[in-house]
């Protein structure tokens, strides 16, 4: 049975379920592995015939593992090239494919499970991108799941590998382990107290990268940031996982200190910010996705600080994804231009926050 994207749109992706350790700040953990088949050139040099053959081989090998019950049978292949543009945008918003895979040409695919914990991209920048995501701070389990999947596939194909350098990848920064270990964090208090740049400079000094909501080249929206390793050469996958995992408690401490400061020194201003955000979201007649993310970030902070008691974090997490342009159109069952999306988005927010009671709790 294939994966129904319309049905998928009704739910909330794994990375926004609001479960797992430290869910108030750490939204998700992710491990991504870049791999290439030894007998083919990198994608930038590959012909259309090469790309089609790479996709065929990887699809056949993965389906063979499924037939042997060594991989979940519900891991479903989607032909990205055959998908409508709206569906490709939907999968990008869902964090199941990259913008590069969505926008490129030629044979390309992704295998996804209904729980959205696994995403296997074929013919992106590299022949194969294995991605595993878990909700909350769960890097060790995420790495172990990615490693198991990688080992199974490596039994079926020959990876491009150098005894000196490790796994060979299209981008030199991925050579070595080919691993990108990351956490997505929500840091609104550090943004409000204007400490965020100082924290990010400290991360960069220890070779950790800071990216926006949708990874490399994307902007930070809704105070969400991805923190990941910058280099993959010279460290093992376990060492890279530990390096990112070790810095997360420090980030958590900084953000919680900033939240404590806001409650202690600026409670009225903070309460006003949260109340206004909640009020606008519940009453707006038209609203952009950018403003929605900004306001939902304040509401999410308010929930975690006990200023809002009649709505829960998973509801806000769901609204973060469902109010994005492609999701909104999938849920509406039609394509909408920008102005119509703004109206539909406001209507969706009013509907889903209508039973929220009286809003922020009184001091």
């Amino acid at each position: 049975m294939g994966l129904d994207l319309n049905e998928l749109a009704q739910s909330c992706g794994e990375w926004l379920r609001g479960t797992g350790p430290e869910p108030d700040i750490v939204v998700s953990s992710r491990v991504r592995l870049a791999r290439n088949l030894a007998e083919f050139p990198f994608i930038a040099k590959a012909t259309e015939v090469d790309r089609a053959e790479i996709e065929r081989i990887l699809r056949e090998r993965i389906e063979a593992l499924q037939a042997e019950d060594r991989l979940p049978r519900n891991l479903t292949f989607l032909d990205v090239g055959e998908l409508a543009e709206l569906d490709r945008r939907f999968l990008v918003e869902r964090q199941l494919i990259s913008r590069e895979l969505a926008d490129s040409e030629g044979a390309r695919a992704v295998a996804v499970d209904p729980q959205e914990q696994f995403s296997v991209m074929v013919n992106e920048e590299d022949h194969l991108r294995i991605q595993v995501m878990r909700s909350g701070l769960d890097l060790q389990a995420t790495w172990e799941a990615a490693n198991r999947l990688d080992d199974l596939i490596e039994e079926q194909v020959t990876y491009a590998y150098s005894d000196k350098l490790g796994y060979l990848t299209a981008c030199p920064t991925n050579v070595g382990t080919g691993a990108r270990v990351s956490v997505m964090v929500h840091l609104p208090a550090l943004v409000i107290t204007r400490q965020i740049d100082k924290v990010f400079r400290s991360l960069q000094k220890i070779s950790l990268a800071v990216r926006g909501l949708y990874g490399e080249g994307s902007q930070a929206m809704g105070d969400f940031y991805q923190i990941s390793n910058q280099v993959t050469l010279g460290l093992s996958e376990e060492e890279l996982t530990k390096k990112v995992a070790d810095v997360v408690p420090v980030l958590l401490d900084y953000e919680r200190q900033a939240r404590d400061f806001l409650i202690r020194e600026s409670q009225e201003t903070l309460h006003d910010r949260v109340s206004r955000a909640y009020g606008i979201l519940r009453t707006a007649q038209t609203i952009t996705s950018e403003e929605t993310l900004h306001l939902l970030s304040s509401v999410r902070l308010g929930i975690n600080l006990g200023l809002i008691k009649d709505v829960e974090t998973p509801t806000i997490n769901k609204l973060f994804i469902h109010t994005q342009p492609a999701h909104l159109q999938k849920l509406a069952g039609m394509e909408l231009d920008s102005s119509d999306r703004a109206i539909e988005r406001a209507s969706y927010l009013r509907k889903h926050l209508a039973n929220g009671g009286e809003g922020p709790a009184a001091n």
Side-chain angles (χ1 to χ4, degrees):
M1 182 178 176
L3 193 67
D4 187 334
L5 296 187
N6 292 320
E7 187 175 308
L8 199 66
Q10 303 291 328
S11 65
C12 191
E14 165 65 21
W15 63 285
L16 277 176
R17 292 194 202 285
T19 58
E22 315 290 357
D24 57 323
I25 297 175
V26 184
V27 179
S28 65
S29 302
R30 182 181 75 157
V31 172
R32 188 222 66 202
L33 302 174
R35 300 287 186 258
N36 289 279
L37 304 188
E39 62 266 39
F40 293 95
F42 290 131
I43 289 298
K45 296 290 187 181
T47 65
E48 284 300 312
V49 173
D50 290 333
R51 291 174 67 111
E53 187 65 7
I54 291 165
E55 183 189 356
R56 183 192 66 78
I57 290 171
L58 287 171
R59 186 188 293 249
E60 282 185 0
R61 300 297 193 275
I62 289 172
E63 288 176 347
L65 288 167
Q66 289 177 293
E68 297 170 3
D69 288 327
R70 301 178 71 195
L71 279 181
R73 289 181 179 266
N74 61 1
L75 196 66
T76 303
F77 265 94
L78 300 173
D79 187 334
V80 176
E82 294 295 318
L83 292 177
E85 183 180 357
L86 180 61
D87 288 335
R88 295 199 301 271
R89 296 293 153 214
F90 167 78
L91 292 173
V92 172
E93 291 176 359
R94 208 76 175 181
Q95 302 268 348
L96 295 173
I97 68 172
S98 64
R99 289 176 301 170
E100 183 165 349
L101 190 72
D103 294 340
S104 63
E105 300 293 333
R108 60 200 193 280
V110 63
V112 180
D113 71 303
Q115 290 74 40
E116 303 170 69
Q117 294 186 339
F118 297 97
S119 167
V120 181
M121 288 180 277
V122 177
N123 287 341
E124 197 234 29
E125 181 181 67
D126 293 288
H127 299 160
L128 185 65
R129 288 283 177 99
I130 298 168
Q131 174 181 283
V132 177
M133 295 183 73
R134 294 286 188 274
S135 187
L137 179 58
D138 200 6
L139 280 173
Q140 186 59 37
T142 307
W143 153 244
E144 289 171 1
N147 188 41
R148 282 195 300 272
L149 179 54
D150 182 42
D151 286 347
L152 285 170
I153 296 173
E154 193 168 14
E155 290 177 10
Q156 305 291 318
V157 298
T158 302
Y159 285 151
Y161 185 84
S162 160
D163 290 337
K164 181 179 180 181
L165 297 174
Y167 292 103
L168 303 179
T169 57
C171 181
T173 59
N174 288 324
V175 168
T177 61
R180 188 77 65 190
V181 179
S182 66
V183 289
M184 184 179 292
V185 289
H186 185 225
L187 305 174
L190 286 172
V191 173
I192 294 170
T193 57
R194 300 182 181 178
Q195 298 179 68
I196 197 77
D197 288 339
K198 181 177 71 174
V199 171
F200 287 168
R201 284 195 296 272
S202 299
L203 292 175
Q204 287 161 359
K205 286 178 182 177
I206 56 173
S207 298
L208 293 177
V210 180
R211 297 183 170 92
L213 184 61
Y214 292 107
E216 192 166 2
S218 68
Q219 293 181 319
M221 297 185 291
D223 304 320
F224 285 110
Y225 300 90
Q226 289 190 35
I227 314 298
S228 66
N229 58 296
Q230 277 186 317
V231 293
T232 68
L233 190 62
L235 294 172
S236 69
E237 292 94 334
E238 291 84 355
E239 288 170 331
L240 288 174
T241 302
K242 186 176 185 301
K243 182 172 185 174
V244 177
D246 284 350
V247 82
V248 175
V250 181
L251 268 180
L252 296 180
D253 189 47
Y254 284 154
E255 173 65 16
R256 289 190 175 129
Q257 285 182 32
R259 294 181 182 191
D260 290 344
F261 173 83
L262 290 172
I263 288 289
R264 188 173 65 250
E265 304 292 338
S266 308
Q267 184 166 356
E268 287 186 1
T269 302
L270 176 63
H271 200 280
D272 182 69
R273 180 192 189 103
V274 171
S275 299
R276 285 175 184 271
Y278 197 31
I280 291 171
L281 289 168
R282 295 176 71 190
T283 59
Q285 301 300 302
T286 177
I287 190 167
T288 65
S289 57
E290 185 177 356
E291 184 181 9
T292 299
L293 286 171
H294 175 70
L295 296 174
L296 285 172
S297 177
S298 293
V299 170
R300 193 178 192 275
L301 176 63
I303 293 169
N304 289 322
L305 294 180
L307 300 176
I308 296 178
K309 299 184 184 297
D310 52 13
V311 64
E312 297 182 346
T313 299
T315 299
I316 300 303
N317 287 349
K318 187 175 181 178
L319 291 175
F320 267 112
I321 190 89
H322 280 189
T323 56
Q324 292 297 296
H327 273 77
L328 203 65
Q329 293 172 89
K330 292 288 286 182
L331 291 167
M334 68 183 82
E335 294 195 22
L336 303 167
D337 63 23
S338 180
S339 60
D340 286 338
R341 286 200 303 270
I343 294 169
E344 180 66 25
R345 183 177 294 110
S347 173
Y348 189 86
L349 287 163
R350 291 197 309 273
K351 176 183 174 184
H352 285 82
L353 295 174
N355 297 321
E358 299 302 320
N363 287 331

